[in-house]
Amino acid sequence: MKKYDGLYIFAGQAKDDVLDAQIQKALAEVTRLGGNVLTQEVLGKRDFAHPMHKRTNGVYVLVRFEFDPSKVSELVNRYRLVEEVFRVQILAVDERREAILVKQAEAAAQREAQKAAAAAAEVPAE
């Protein structure tokens, strides 16, 4: 099993309750083929740079899931049949890059804590 990020675009006219049902239907395809959904994040409604198929906007959803690499093309082909999914892009997650980003975030948080502690130490007591 390998980790993937999937960026899904759903039709722009979706309401919140309808959008949740569409997302669950799309993610059911991942679990149906033996994958595990790890996280999902609704990025919101965004306008397209150019109208596509008479649509000007869509709701973007970012999903991270574990999946068998040999079944990715089958998953993409299934999404072509799901009408609710306007577009989908699936990218493999680079584990080494993710580890570097986590270390950088931790180092940045440490620097901010040190700056805050230094600033607190410089403030004279009245």
Side-chain angles (χ1 to χ4, degrees):
M1 298 287 259
K2 190 172 180 180
K3 288 185 182 177
Y4 291 91
D5 281 335
L7 181 64
Y8 297 84
I9 304 175
F10 295 94
Q13 303 300 326
K15 303 281 188 252
D16 288 339
D17 55 340
V18 176
L19 178 64
D20 290 338
Q22 289 176 347
I23 292 171
Q24 293 310 316
K25 184 176 180 182
L27 297 182
E29 295 294 331
V30 173
T31 56
R32 182 177 296 145
L33 292 173
N36 299 322
V37 176
L38 302 174
T39 61
Q40 71 181 36
E41 178 183 358
V42 178
L43 301 176
K45 189 174 186 178
R46 299 190 181 178
D47 291 332
F48 299 146
H50 304 286
M52 294 184 286
H53 303 287
K54 298 184 181 179
R55 297 191 189 273
T56 59
N57 57 32
V59 179
Y60 286 66
V61 179
L62 182 64
V63 178
R64 179 161 289 186
F65 55 91
E66 290 180 329
F67 203 68
D68 183 15
S70 64
K71 295 183 180 181
V72 171
S73 61
E74 184 180 348
L75 180 66
V76 172
N77 289 337
R78 281 183 169 271
Y79 283 133
R80 290 188 181 135
L81 301 175
V82 178
E83 293 179 12
E84 291 84 7
V85 178
F86 184 69
R87 290 274 196 273
V88 65
Q89 182 177 17
I90 297 176
L91 298 172
V93 174
D94 185 3
E95 296 292 334
R96 292 176 295 178
R97 183 172 183 267
E98 291 289 316
I100 290 170
L101 290 174
V102 167
K103 286 180 185 177
Q104 288 175 347
E106 289 172 353
Q110 244 179 0
R111 284 192 303 270
E112 289 298 320
Q114 289 173 349
K115 283 182 186 178
E122 289 180 6
V123 175
E126 292 182 28

